[in-house]
Amino acid sequence: MGLTIAPLPVPRSGAALRAAVLEAVVLAGHMLLYPSGVREERREEGASGSGAGAGGQLPPVLLLHGFTDNRSVFVLLRRALGAGGRRRVETYNYSPFTLDLRVTARHLARRVEELCERSGQERVDLVGHSLGGLVGRYYVQRLGGDARVRTLVTLGTPHGGTRVAPFMDAHPLVRQMRPDSPVMAELRAPAPGCRTRCVAFWSAYDALMAPTGTARIEHPDLDATNVEVTGIGHLALPVHPAVITAVRRALDGAVRDAGAEAGPGADGEGSAGPVRKLRSTGTGEEGMVV
């Protein structure tokens, strides 16, 4: 949903008020950065990065922005993921005139193939904010993208559909993000043998997710870990230091390893998979707790 402005609920607690204030601050800062992300970035040629993975390298990461947004939302996350030259990190600016996320997912498929060819890697990692996460999941689950995507991380993505802002139903993309849309029906369909590991970050203070839990991945065929983030809202998810640290750990495998002992069904939730909580603090520190 990106920069979409929707009526926000009146905060009813101190934590909710702090989250709302942070959202306003993040929005103001992002509006200043937004023009810098309108143009497509220059693509790096040749293999780069070091660490684990095929050829001694970590898989490259492709960042996918949300509805009406652009790559500028990932300024801090990109810098953190690429620190030390451990991995190649690129962004994908899909068209602001997109009317069908399935078309965008097909364009993403070509972009991933091109990135694999340039980097010399067979697989990539995807990180998507809001609608970007849904585009990434559609590619992985419905277009055979699991052959190319090692890990899919989503931040505030309406995996089960959202009912927020009914006045925006005139936009085809918004209609596709409704719980009863054909796209959501496709994502609920069986996906046996899907090879991509999924990590979904969600927050109870995400005002664009209605119901809030819709940002969790709940599918019996997907290897999914859901991480609840406390104390922040939708716009802060890709910029908060605690979340950035946790995303980096997720791409390094730490989040799944932490949840391995509570695999799908171990907590009685069945399709929801392992569930973790990310407790954010004002210092940017974070901790995973059951």
Side-chain angles (χ1 to χ4, degrees):
M1 306 284 278
L3 287 176
T4 301
I5 307 300
L8 299 178
V10 177
R12 300 190 178 205
S13 69
L17 179 59
R18 288 190 294 272
V21 170
L22 179 59
E23 285 288 276
V25 171
V26 172
L27 176 61
H30 187 37
M31 292 299 288
L32 292 175
L33 288 173
Y34 190 89
S36 68
V38 171
R39 303 179 72 177
E40 188 70 51
E41 69 179 2
R42 295 180 60 184
R43 298 178 186 177
E44 181 182 350
E45 296 295 335
S48 65
S50 60
Q57 299 176 14
L58 288 169
V61 181
L62 194 58
L63 306 176
L64 312 172
H65 62 78
F67 180 54
T68 72
D69 211 343
N70 64 38
R71 62 188 176 89
S72 63
V73 72
F74 293 122
V75 168
L76 298 179
L77 179 59
R78 178 176 183 165
R79 182 182 305 161
L81 293 180
R86 297 180 65 237
R87 52 168 65 92
R88 180 199 298 258
V89 184
E90 297 187 1
T91 57
Y92 175 47
N93 261 15
Y94 55 84
S95 171
F97 304 108
T98 295
L99 299 178
D100 190 333
L101 71 82
R102 293 168 293 195
V103 172
T104 302
R106 288 194 284 271
H107 292 165
L108 171 62
R110 292 195 288 270
R111 181 71 169 83
V112 168
E113 292 297 324
E114 186 264 346
L115 176 56
C116 287
E117 182 177 354
R118 281 190 294 109
S119 65
Q121 292 283 320
E122 294 185 356
R123 306 195 80 186
V124 304
D125 292 332
L126 299 180
V127 179
H129 179 226
S130 198
L131 175 63
L134 212 56
V135 171
R137 180 179 168 189
Y138 192 92
Y139 164 56
V140 162
Q141 191 176 328
R142 303 296 298 175
L143 301 178
D146 62 314
R148 284 297 194 191
V149 179
R150 185 192 66 152
T151 303
L152 169 66
V153 175
T154 66
L155 308 171
T157 290
H159 291 288
T162 179
R163 298 185 179 91
V164 76
F167 59 87
M168 293 188 65
D169 277 351
H171 198 294
L173 269 182
V174 175
R175 292 199 299 271
Q176 289 184 334
M177 289 186 278
R178 297 307 188 202
D180 58 352
S181 76
V183 168
M184 291 300 160
E186 288 187 66
L187 293 178
R188 287 192 295 269
C194 184
R195 290 161 282 186
T196 298
R197 176 173 62 104
C198 303
V199 182
F201 290 82
W202 67 283
S203 171
Y205 297 111
D206 189 334
L208 295 184
M209 299 297 108
T212 305
T214 191
R216 300 191 297 259
I217 295 178
E218 299 182 341
H219 193 295
D221 295 331
L222 299 184
D223 175 9
T225 298
N226 294 299
V227 182
E228 181 182 1
V229 182
T230 64
I232 65 175
H234 188 79
L235 295 176
L237 283 168
V239 302
H240 195 283
V243 179
I244 290 175
T245 298
V247 170
R248 189 171 65 244
R249 292 181 63 221
L251 295 181
D252 289 343
V255 169
R256 186 170 81 169
D257 294 343
E261 75 282 0
D267 57 1
E269 295 296 329
S271 62
V275 178
R276 290 293 177 266
K277 180 174 287 188
L278 174 63
R279 180 182 298 145
S280 61
T281 70
T283 63
E285 298 176 348
E286 54 87 14
M288 290 291 179
V289 296
V290 176

